[in-house]
Amino acid sequence: MFVTRKAEFSASHVCTQPGLTPEQNRAVYGPASNPNGHGHNYVLEVTLEGEPDPATGMIIDLKELKEIINREVVEPMDHRFLNHEVPPFDRVVPTVENVAAEIWRRIEPAFGGSRAHLHNVRLYETEDLYVDYSGDRPGDRAGDRA
Amino acid sequence: MTRLTRRYKFAASHRLHSDRFSAEENWNLYGKCNNPYGHGHDYVLELSVEGAVGRASGQVVNLMALDRLVNDEVLRDFDHRYLNVDIREFQALVPTSENILRVIEERLLAHWPAEWPRLASIGLRETARNSFELKAS
C-alpha cells in the first residue's frame, strides 16, 4: 500500500555549468541560466510503500512523515537560493532532476527502522514540469553523458 | 531511475465521424461529437522521458531541445487548427484522443534523437474528465 504526503517550498536557483560559455548554457538551460537566478514554488510529493500496522491501521504516522519532510527539506530549502545556501548545489547544478534526487538522499535514511520504505519522490518545479525519482539502481548514473 | 514529465497545451477542434458507417451509425457511436461542424478542446499533452541523469548537465534530456521538438512536430501544426481538415493524418483517420496519441507518438519518434533516453509515455487530457495515456513503444 502507498501513502503520499505533499509539501511546498519556494526557492531560487540558477542552472549553469561552470565549464560552458553563457551562450552554451543558454542552449542547454534557456532562461534558467540567467545569471542572477529566479525562483519557483516547488511542490513535493513523497510516496512511501508498506503494510499498515494491524494495531494502528497506519503505514506510518503522518505527523512523523510531515516532521521528516519539514526537517530534511522544507526548513533547509524554503526561501533559500539553492546554489548559495543549500549544499551540494554550490557545485551540482540544481535542475529539478538533481533537486529531486537530493531530497531522496536526505529523507531516505529516516525510514530505515519503520514499516514503510521510500517509494518515490515527485518534485514539481512548475505545473508543467516535474520529475519522479525512485532511487538509483547500479548503472543508472550516466557517467560520461553530457 | 528518473522520469521527467513535461506538460504542453494546444487548442484544436475535431469531429468524430467515420466513412465506414452510415450517418445514423455515426450518430449512435459518437453522439454529439459527430455534430457536423466539429467542436474544440483545450488539450493537455504530457510527455514522460525516463533515463539516467547526466552528471554534468543534471538533466535527463535537454529540455530546450525537447520543447523545440514538440513544438516543431506537434504544437505548431495542431494548435488552433481543425484536426480533421488541417492535419494530414486525420484526413483518413478519426481524431479520437486514442488516435491523436498514436499520431503524436509517430511524429515524435520519427525525429527522436538516437542519443536521447526513451520516451516512456504520452498522456492526453481532452477535458478535465477524459484522459488517455499511451505507453510509448
Side-chain angles (χ1 to χ4, degrees), chain A residues 17 26-30 93 95-98 127-137 140-143 145-146, chain B residues 1-7 9 46 48 51-65 115 117:
Chain A
Q17 292 177 48
R26 176 156 286 272
V28 178
Y29 301 109
V93 55
T95 56
V96 65
E97 291 95 325
N98 279 341
E127 271 192 354
D128 296 331
L129 179 67
Y130 65 88
V131 301
D132 289 293
Y133 180 70
S134 49
D136 272 337
R137 292 182 289 271
D140 270 2
R141 291 296 286 194
R145 207 163 58 74
Chain B
M1 187 56 67
T2 302
R3 170 185 281 235
L4 175 132
T5 302
R6 183 72 156 154
R7 188 174 290 173
K9 295 176 180 130
E46 278 195 355
S48 293
V53 174
R55 206 179 285 279
S57 68
Q59 293 180 316
V60 173
V61 64
N62 182 326
L63 203 55
M64 301 293 289
E115 66 274 18

Side-chain angles (χ1 to χ4, degrees), chain B residues 19-130:
Chain B
D19 292 336
R20 293 180 202 175
F21 306 121
S22 70
E24 193 188 351
E25 286 169 333
N26 267 298
W27 177 256
N28 289 337
L29 186 59
Y30 296 121
K32 62 188 177 186
C33 296
N34 184 240
N35 281 344
Y37 298 104
H39 62 279
H41 300 289
D42 288 303
Y43 288 94
V44 179
L45 172 67
E46 278 195 355
L47 301 189
S48 293
V49 178
E50 192 172 279
V53 174
R55 206 179 285 279
S57 68
Q59 293 180 316
V60 173
V61 64
N62 182 326
L63 203 55
M64 301 293 289
L66 179 67
D67 287 352
R68 203 158 43 237
L69 175 72
V70 176
N71 192 55
D72 289 351
E73 301 307 324
V74 180
L75 303 180
R76 203 167 48 197
D77 281 354
F78 283 36
D79 189 36
H80 286 77
R81 295 289 179 182
Y82 186 14
L83 298 179
N84 304 53
V85 174
D86 294 324
I87 303 298
R88 58 182 155 73
E89 289 94 330
F90 297 118
Q91 286 164 17
L93 183 68
V94 189
T96 58
S97 285
E98 293 91 326
N99 282 337
I100 296 172
L101 274 177
R102 288 210 171 115
V103 167
I104 289 174
E105 183 195 32
E106 268 174 30
R107 284 179 168 229
L108 293 176
L109 292 186
H111 296 87
W112 198 261
E115 66 274 18
W116 281 13
R118 70 187 195 95
L119 177 61
S121 77
I122 312 175
L124 188 67
R125 198 173 77 199
E126 187 182 76
T127 70
R129 295 197 178 103
N130 295 334

